[in-house]
Amino acid sequence: MNCVIIGAGNYSYVLLNYINEQKEKVNIIGFLDDDVSLHGTLILGKPVLGSINLLESLYNSHNIEAVYCPIGNIKSRVRFLKYASSLGYILPNFIHESSVVGPNVSMGKGIYIMPGTIVMPSATISNYCMLSMGISVGHDTSFDEGVFVANGCNIGGNIIIKKETFIGMGATIISGVKFIGENSVIGAGAVIIKDVPDSSVVVGNPGRIIKYNN
């Protein structure tokens, strides 16, 4: 299956490295990025083909069937993946071979799970989520659309992480918390011991709200 990666930044470079080392081979044709200064350059030998609007013609010109988009900006990642899906592209999941996804885990599409992450049984990972390295996810926890979890986080069981929430590096959300509100930001190293309302920015140990996102 021929694939293209949206975004020519650090996360896309990292993903291509991991794809190349996997036993199951994926044929990456190149990258798309709206930064015209990158057009024609190479990343690990793969060209930046042009802007993202090329998706409208790549199926015919390069026989592209599938799209990855592992960029860190949540709203952009969700928007680009929905756009690709609307054009009929497949949105494969990527789970690094060193990660463990337990039984009865429900998964959507366009999900990226990086090395050393453990997802316990009966969790739910919705469309367009991204879980970085070394994360521990408890049983029956659910991630709504577009959630991003940075390196080294510990997330307890039976917690709802609502859509488009960002959880910063090394944060801990203890079991007993019921939900983290939509469009929230959990700061690096924060320890969350109670529910977080929508659009909150939370830092510290124990976590405290310092402002609300617009």
Side-chain angles (χ1 to χ4, degrees):
M1 182 167 61
N2 293 331
C3 307
V4 70
I5 298 175
I6 294 178
N10 292 333
Y11 278 114
S12 296
Y13 166 80
V14 167
L15 179 65
L16 181 55
N17 273 280
Y18 291 147
I19 286 173
N20 286 341
E21 73 176 18
Q22 298 279 85
K23 294 174 184 176
E24 184 178 343
K25 297 304 177 185
V26 174
N27 188 25
I28 301 296
I29 300 299
F31 297 83
L32 299 177
D33 199 291
D34 286 340
D35 184 347
V36 295
S37 69
L38 297 174
H39 296 175
T41 62
L42 297 177
I43 300 174
L44 297 178
K46 303 295 183 180
V48 180
L49 301 167
S51 297
I52 295 166
N53 60 16
L54 279 179
L55 279 177
E56 296 182 9
S57 60
L58 277 178
Y59 181 82
N60 293 322
S61 63
H62 290 72
N63 196 29
I64 301 296
E65 301 173 76
V67 171
Y68 293 92
C69 183
I71 61 178
N73 183 287
I74 291 174
K75 293 189 182 299
S76 294
R77 183 174 71 256
V78 170
R79 176 163 52 90
F80 293 146
L81 286 170
K82 285 183 174 180
Y83 172 53
S85 181
S86 74
L87 295 173
Y89 289 98
I90 299 166
L91 305 181
N93 295 336
F94 174 84
I95 303 172
H96 192 272
E97 291 172 349
S98 68
S99 289
V100 177
V101 175
N104 301 315
V105 171
S106 175
M107 298 184 68
K109 59 186 178 180
I111 294 165
Y112 312 117
I113 300 178
M114 298 303 174
T117 285
I118 299 173
V119 181
M120 292 180 68
S122 301
T124 299
I125 306 175
S126 300
N127 297 342
Y128 323 132
C129 288
M130 191 165 173
L131 278 62
S132 199
M133 298 184 296
I135 297 163
S136 175
V137 177
H139 65 88
D140 296 286
T141 282
S142 65
F143 299 92
D144 290 348
E145 179 182 280
V147 170
F148 180 99
V149 186
N151 300 355
C153 292
N154 292 293
I155 300 173
N158 282 298
I159 301 168
I160 299 171
I161 314 294
K162 295 188 178 180
K163 66 182 291 187
E164 298 190 359
T165 283
F166 177 92
I167 302 176
M169 193 176 295
T172 297
I173 305 173
I174 69 167
S175 294
V177 172
K178 294 179 180 178
F179 65 87
I180 304 297
E182 178 178 335
N183 192 42
S184 291
V185 174
I186 307 301
V191 178
I192 307 303
I193 62 173
K194 60 183 180 180
D195 299 346
V196 172
D198 290 352
S199 301
S200 300
V201 178
V202 183
V203 301
N205 178 9
R208 65 189 188 281
I209 299 171
I210 59 169
K211 65 178 181 178
Y212 291 92
N213 266 326
N214 293 323

